[in-house]
Every structure is written in C-alpha cells, then in structure tokens.
Amino acid sequence: MDHDHSAWERVVQDAHNRAADRQQQLIDRLGDDAQYQWDLDQGAIAWSRAGRTFCTARLTLIGTVSLTESSWLWSWANDSLPPAAIGDMHAVREYGESNGYPVLPWPSFNHHPGLVKEARVVSAAVLDAAGLWTDQAGDIQLHFLLHDLSGVRPEL
C-alpha cells in the first residue's frame, strides 16, 4: 500500500487533539509533587505522595530512544522486553501495515523528535490510552502509554 502523507497528517492531528485533553487532565490530577515508580515486568506504574500511593495504572512501553545512537526502537521489535511491558503494541504495527503508515511497522528508525511524537500520539489513539508518560534511564528514553488509571477521575 502506498503512503498517503496527507492521511497520515490527519491521523496524527486527530490523535494529538485526543491526547492533549487527556494529558492535561492527567497532569492536573497528578500535580507536580508526585513520586512515581514503574515496573516493566508487571507492566504497572504507581504515583505516591508522602509515601502513600494515590494512583496506579497499567503501563505499556511504546518504544525507546537511544540518545547515544540517536535511534528509536518499537517495543514490539525488542525481544528483551517482558510481555507485560509490550501489551497490545502489535496492534499499532498492524494498524500501520493495514493503512500504509510506514513509521508504525518499521522496527526502528533514526531519532527525530517530531516523528517520535507522532508515533507516541498515534499509538495512544490506536490503543485508547488514558495518557502518555516518559522517563529516562541513563542514555535511554522510555516512552509509555497509561491505561486503566485508578485513583483518578474515571474520565481519564
């Protein structure tokens, strides 16, 4: 299937609009003083204040950016990850394949911040994520989807 760039741009814009509202609600609820801890083996994240957990979510790793190699690697293409961390990311790859959106089924690509942002928001839309989360471990950026939030308003 040929790539229709204008169709991709519409998908990205719709996904961005959807994610922006949900992301702002998440930020408002978590505040700026929350501590967090995530676990790839469990596919989970928890936020706390003063040692008390107030919010939890199921976590899906979208992909990683190697800052030293300046490259993106989709979680579905990373054999070293536990299944709980990958979740349903194969559906994002399949969505890209069936709609002719090349970036989604490419196992990896050169890191371009704009392209990573597009990959993140489209992944969030495809998997109906409640929010996005990013963290860094050494020279690796980890990009996550959040699902099944508890302890925050249901509309998230």
Side-chain angles (χ1 to χ4, degrees), residues 116-130:
V116 169
K117 181 179 179 180
E118 291 175 357
R120 288 168 34 99
V121 298
V122 171
S123 295
V126 169
L127 295 181
D128 193 29

Side-chain angles (χ1 to χ4, degrees), residues 85-152:
I86 299 169
D88 294 328
M89 284 302 297
H90 66 278
V92 174
R93 183 189 73 238
E94 292 166 359
Y95 176 78
E97 289 169 348
S98 65
N99 289 287
Y101 302 138
V103 71
L104 302 179
W106 292 340
S108 64
F109 53 86
N110 289 336
H111 174 236
H112 294 96
L115 193 53
V116 169
K117 181 179 179 180
E118 291 175 357
R120 288 168 34 99
V121 298
V122 171
S123 295
V126 169
L127 295 181
D128 193 29
L132 292 154
W133 194 260
T134 303
D135 203 357
Q136 189 162 328
D139 72 337
I140 302 292
Q141 287 180 346
L142 299 106
H143 297 272
F144 299 103
L145 298 175
L146 305 174
H147 312 274
D148 307 328
L149 288 157
S150 66
V152 294

Side-chain angles (χ1 to χ4, degrees), residues 16-150:
H16 175 72
N17 292 342
R18 179 196 169 282
D21 291 339
R22 291 183 179 202
Q23 202 64 21
Q24 188 58 55
Q25 291 174 12
L26 180 66
I27 290 167
D28 292 346
R29 295 298 287 166
L30 295 177
D32 58 5
D33 62 341
Q35 301 295 310
Y36 63 91
Q37 184 172 0
W38 48 264
D39 181 327
L40 287 180
D41 290 325
Q42 298 297 313
I45 187 169
W47 292 269
S48 62
R49 277 194 194 92
R52 298 190 66 196
T53 298
F54 70 93
C55 182
T56 61
R58 184 168 51 87
L59 192 70
T60 300
L61 182 62
I62 306 167
T64 55
V65 172
S66 169
L67 298 174
T68 56
E69 296 177 19
S70 191
S71 63
W72 168 267
L73 177 63
W74 286 100
S75 64
W76 57 260
N78 187 339
D79 294 335
S80 68
L81 294 172
I86 299 169
D88 294 328
M89 284 302 297
H90 66 278
V92 174
R93 183 189 73 238
E94 292 166 359
Y95 176 78
E97 289 169 348
S98 65
N99 289 287
Y101 302 138
V103 71
L104 302 179
W106 292 340
S108 64
F109 53 86
N110 289 336
H111 174 236
H112 294 96
L115 193 53
V116 169
K117 181 179 179 180
E118 291 175 357
R120 288 168 34 99
V121 298
V122 171
S123 295
V126 169
L127 295 181
D128 193 29
L132 292 154
W133 194 260
T134 303
D135 203 357
Q136 189 162 328
D139 72 337
I140 302 292
Q141 287 180 346
L142 299 106
H143 297 272
F144 299 103
L145 298 175
L146 305 174
H147 312 274
D148 307 328
L149 288 157
S150 66

